[in-house]
């Protein structure tokens, strides 16, 4: 048996994963604290601003997925082995924790046909807990990757001789995606309708927030970066001031929207949905800033690099666990007034929930069947600036 060289890892991706996981945790902490009785307008407004700063989390995970898949599987893909590995590392832990949440939420009280129907529906829709929809959405990219890859290759082949044509295609994709965001956030709420097929209606309308198409542009971004990683890093470091200006401008606009559509400083977090045109533009600018910060961090000697790398390795399991961790953290913190409410209490809850989620994942991963509970956590050698090369051993990022 012959082995080809193992692909080197892109070290900054661990930092991006870590930032995204921490952002998810604090978003959900804010969701708890902003609904507490007696929250002042000023505190509500501050929570709203923080919430928007953290909205990059899910798009960042999708972006990383696109980058990793194209980086590792652009030239060769053995789909049966590929999907079997992802099923074991993603769906099996998802199924286990879905059952845990169903038991905790008393969705499973007896064993009969109705119970199995409830279990099946919750597994298919990611509704066993408020955060599991993400797994249903992200796994669609793995299932459909051969189709996506074929389209990606065809587009690249057709446009590789024309830089203008390539940017025009990216622009058209952005306009189309922006139109989809407008359809989701503006048209559908004002013109509700149902499709004839119940399954089609559920997938395209009712559960559209977990339809991969509604996050497809970030996957496309990641795929493009995978094919031009050194140039992308150089662009970010060369144009950082422009990126900061774009981020600041779009953040100001979505903050204006948040206050306007909330009717004041007591904000409605539902206004800050990722599925609207303004948030799309803001998220793209923010993702570029986040990646730039990760690149900068990879070249420093910060003591945080070791811990962020570990957190990045264990981020999937920690994501699955953090909702139950937050439940029990809040049971503890609600005992004291100073930790039960306010910004200070939210910071304590965030730190505890993040630590408990990481610690539990780390310990579970050490079990012989740990990958079935929290996914794969072992990664290959990290380097700061790998080039995209031709290798067949693909598990590098």
């Amino acid at each position: 048996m012959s082995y080809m060289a193992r692909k080197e890892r892109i070290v900054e991706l661990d930092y991006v994963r870590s930032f995204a996981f921490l952002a998810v945790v604090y978003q959900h902490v804010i969701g708890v604290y902003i609904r507490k009785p007696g929250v002042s307008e000023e505190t509500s407004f501050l929570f709203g601003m923080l919430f928007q700063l953290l909205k990059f989390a899910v798009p960042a995970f999708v972006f990383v997925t696109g980058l990793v898949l194209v980086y590792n599987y652009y030239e060769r893909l053995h789909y049966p082995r590929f999907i079997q590995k992802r099923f074991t590392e993603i769906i099996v832990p998802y199924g286990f924790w879905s059952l845990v949440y169903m038991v905790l939420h008393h969705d499973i009280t007896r064993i009969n046909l109705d119970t199995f129907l409830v279990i099946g529906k919750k597994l298919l829709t990611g509704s066993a807990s408020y955060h599991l929809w993400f797994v249903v959405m992200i796994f669609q990219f793995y299932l459909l990757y051969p189709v996506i890859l074929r389209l990606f290759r065809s587009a690249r082949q057709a446009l590789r001789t024309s830089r203008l044509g390539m940017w025009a295609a990216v622009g058209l994709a952005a306009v189309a995606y922006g139109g989809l965001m407008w359809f989701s956030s503006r048209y559908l709420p004002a013109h509700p309708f149902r499709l004839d097929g119940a399954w089609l209606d559920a997938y395209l309308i009712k559960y559209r927030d977990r339809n991969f198409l509604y996050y497809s542009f970030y996957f496309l971004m990641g795929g493009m970066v995978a094919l031009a990683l050194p140039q992308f890093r150089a662009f970010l470091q060369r144009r950082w001031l422009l990126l900061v200006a774009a981020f600041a401008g779009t953040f100001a606009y979505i903050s204006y929207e948040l206050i306007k559509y909330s009717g004041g400083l007591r904000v409605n977090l539902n206004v800050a949905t990722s599925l609207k045109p303004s948030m799309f533009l803001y998220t793209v600018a923010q993702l570029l800033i986040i990646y730039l910060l990760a690149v900068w961090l990879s070249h420093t000697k910060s003591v945080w690099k070791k811990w962020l790398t570990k957190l990045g390795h264990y981020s999937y399991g920690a994501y699955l666990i953090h909702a139950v961790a937050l439940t029990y953290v809040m049971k503890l913190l609600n005992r004291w007034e100073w930790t039960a409410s306010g910004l200070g209490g939210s910071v304590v809850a965030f730190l505890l929930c993040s630590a408990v989620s990481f610690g539990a994942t780390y310990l579970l991963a050490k079990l012989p069947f740990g990958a079935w509970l929290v996914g794969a956590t072992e990664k290959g050698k990290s380097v700061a600036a790998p080039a995209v090369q031709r290798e067949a051993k693909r598990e590098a990022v």
Side-chain angles (χ1 to χ4, degrees):
M1 178 180 288
S2 62
Y3 292 89
M4 297 187 73
R6 185 187 180 105
K7 270 199 156 185
E8 294 176 303
R9 296 184 57 247
I10 306 171
V11 66
E12 64 263 23
L13 289 188
D14 282 328
Y15 307 144
V16 176
R17 289 187 184 100
S18 299
F19 297 155
F21 166 72
L22 295 172
V24 164
V25 174
Y26 206 179
Q27 280 185 68
H28 293 156
V29 168
I30 288 172
V32 172
Y33 276 80
I34 201 171
R35 293 175 174 87
K36 295 268 187 176
V39 175
S40 67
E41 284 193 346
E42 293 77 10
T43 302
S44 177
F45 172 74
L46 184 57
F47 276 141
M49 296 300 102
L50 287 172
F51 189 79
Q52 293 190 137
L53 285 173
L54 302 169
K55 286 297 288 183
F56 71 90
V58 167
F61 279 129
V62 178
F63 169 85
V64 169
T65 300
L67 197 161
V68 168
L69 290 186
V70 173
Y71 181 77
N72 284 322
Y73 298 100
Y74 182 76
E75 291 157 358
R76 293 184 185 178
L77 175 68
H78 186 273
Y79 185 69
R81 185 165 58 238
F82 168 86
I83 203 64
Q84 180 184 23
K85 179 177 172 61
R86 269 64 197 182
F87 184 87
T88 302
E89 296 179 352
I90 298 174
I91 296 301
V92 172
Y94 162 74
F96 172 78
W97 287 101
S98 292
L99 291 174
V100 169
Y101 286 110
M102 282 185 248
V103 171
L104 292 175
H105 299 160
H106 305 292
D107 294 321
I108 301 177
T109 57
R110 62 186 69 181
I111 303 299
N112 55 33
L113 179 59
D114 289 340
T115 299
F116 284 110
L117 290 175
V118 168
I119 292 173
K121 180 179 179 181
K122 288 185 177 293
L123 288 174
L124 284 174
T125 59
S127 55
S129 183
Y130 56 79
H131 66 305
L132 294 179
W133 67 271
F134 167 77
V135 183
V136 172
M137 181 274 292
I138 202 72
F139 196 70
Q140 294 169 62
F141 287 106
Y142 293 99
L143 280 175
L144 298 173
Y145 184 63
V147 177
I148 297 171
L149 179 59
R150 184 179 293 268
L151 294 173
F152 203 89
R153 285 172 175 168
S154 298
R156 188 188 184 211
Q157 185 66 31
L159 300 170
R160 67 188 311 163
T161 59
S162 172
R163 174 171 291 189
L164 179 61
M166 180 191 69
W167 285 112
V170 173
L172 287 174
V175 169
Y177 185 77
L180 184 62
M181 296 300 95
W182 171 85
F183 174 76
S184 175
S185 63
R186 296 287 185 265
Y187 184 84
L188 277 182
H191 305 86
F193 66 89
R194 297 184 64 88
L195 298 174
D196 291 337
W199 284 90
L200 195 61
D201 181 79
Y203 183 61
L204 296 178
I205 306 298
K206 183 178 180 180
Y207 294 109
R208 64 186 181 277
D209 62 338
R210 57 213 69 186
N211 182 324
F212 81 103
L213 292 173
Y214 285 80
Y215 292 89
S216 56
F217 190 84
Y218 307 115
F219 187 92
L220 172 65
M221 276 183 64
M224 292 178 61
V225 168
L227 297 175
L229 190 57
Q231 297 91 326
F232 177 68
R233 289 196 186 105
F235 167 79
L236 294 181
Q237 294 178 77
R238 189 172 61 250
R239 303 295 184 185
W240 68 269
L241 194 57
L242 179 62
L243 298 179
V244 171
F247 168 73
T250 51
F251 180 77
Y253 183 77
I254 62 170
S255 299
Y256 159 75
E257 280 189 326
L258 182 63
I259 297 171
K260 176 183 177 181
Y261 293 109
S262 296
L265 296 181
R266 194 172 297 282
V267 301
N268 177 3
L269 296 182
N270 291 326
V271 175
T273 174
S274 294
L275 305 183
K276 63 178 182 178
S278 57
M279 192 63 81
F280 161 49
L281 297 176
Y282 164 72
T283 301
V284 170
Q286 190 178 25
L287 281 178
L288 297 178
I289 294 290
I290 292 295
Y291 201 95
L292 176 60
L293 290 175
V295 170
W296 278 346
L297 182 61
S298 71
H299 294 296
T300 69
K301 296 181 179 180
S302 171
V303 296
W304 291 103
K305 289 171 62 174
K306 175 183 176 181
W307 290 104
L308 288 173
T309 298
K310 279 190 173 294
L311 184 56
H313 289 180
Y314 293 91
S315 59
Y316 179 59
Y319 179 89
L320 294 175
I321 292 171
H322 85 274
V324 68
L326 180 58
T327 297
Y328 287 100
V329 163
M330 291 311 304
K331 287 180 183 293
L332 173 67
L333 297 184
N334 284 336
R335 297 180 180 182
W336 304 286
E337 183 177 350
W338 74 276
T339 55
S341 61
L343 181 62
S346 75
V347 172
V348 174
F350 161 68
L351 294 175
L352 282 177
C353 183
S354 300
V356 170
S357 302
F358 169 74
T361 304
Y362 181 84
L363 293 175
L364 289 172
K366 299 303 179 184
L367 297 174
F369 49 87
W372 290 5
L373 302 180
V374 295
T377 57
E378 295 301 320
K379 307 292 182 180
K381 182 181 177 182
S382 297
V383 293
V388 178
Q389 303 168 359
R390 298 187 176 186
E391 284 126 353
K393 185 104 175 181
R394 311 287 184 181
E395 310 309 317
V397 188

